[in-house]
Amino acid sequence: SAINFLERLCLTWMFFFMMCVAERTYKQRFLFAKLFSHITSARKARKYEIPHFRLKKVENIKIWLSLRSYLKASSAPGRGPQRSVDVVVSSVFLLALSIAFICCAQVLKGHKTFLSAAYNWEFLLWEAALLLFLLRLASLGSETNKKYSNISILLTEQINLYLKMEKKPNKKEQLSLVNNVLKLSTKLLKELDSPFRLYGLTMNPLIYNITRVVILSAVSGVISDLLGFNIRV
């Protein structure tokens, strides 16, 4: 029993250590996205001591889009250490999904005797810990996506261009060209959002579909069993 306890303790420590490493990586991604969103603001750029430029020229827009693409690509899954981090997150998500499915099956089998078994309590503790970790990562991932997909920056620059057109009518043609590039950039950013993201977490299409079908069906069965009538989620 003592050896079994030590083995489980060591494996649990290793598992949660990998989750802490993954959370640290997500925090770094959020920091990069936060600093990137401050580039076009003179006050925030001065505060964080980072370069500053306005999107009033086509060359500046090219630099802004290239920098955004580079930062997102450096944190994309499938690139070196980032792939390991996303594998850890996917593994945690699958483990939480499996435990939730087992608990739902146990409840459907006999919800009155569910809490009488010690291993069910252990399942619940693991599920709570994994869900807290996933919620933390989902929050960081969602905030990171918001920073990169912040269309208000481009809309603000378009308003500034319209105001400059009124003050400098001799540069209207040049400013109109920049404005058209900003409009195309806005449409491009809206099209680049990945469909396989769950609150900011990069998901494999297979895991994404399993989540939608299996877990929702299991939850629907549990709710129907507890309430006494059929509910389809």
Side-chain angles (χ1 to χ4, degrees), residues 157-173:
E157 294 295 338
Q158 289 183 35
I159 294 175
N160 293 332
L161 287 176
Y162 282 121
L163 295 177
K164 286 185 179 181
M165 287 181 189
E166 294 182 357
K167 293 182 179 180
K168 300 179 180 180
N170 57 327
K171 296 184 177 181
K172 186 174 182 180
E173 183 177 354

Side-chain angles (χ1 to χ4, degrees), residues 82-101:
Q82 304 297 337
R83 183 177 183 180
S84 302
V85 171
D86 287 296
V87 167
V88 172
V89 176
S90 298
S91 301
V92 172
F93 186 83
L94 284 176
L95 181 59
L97 187 65
S98 302
I99 294 176
F101 185 77

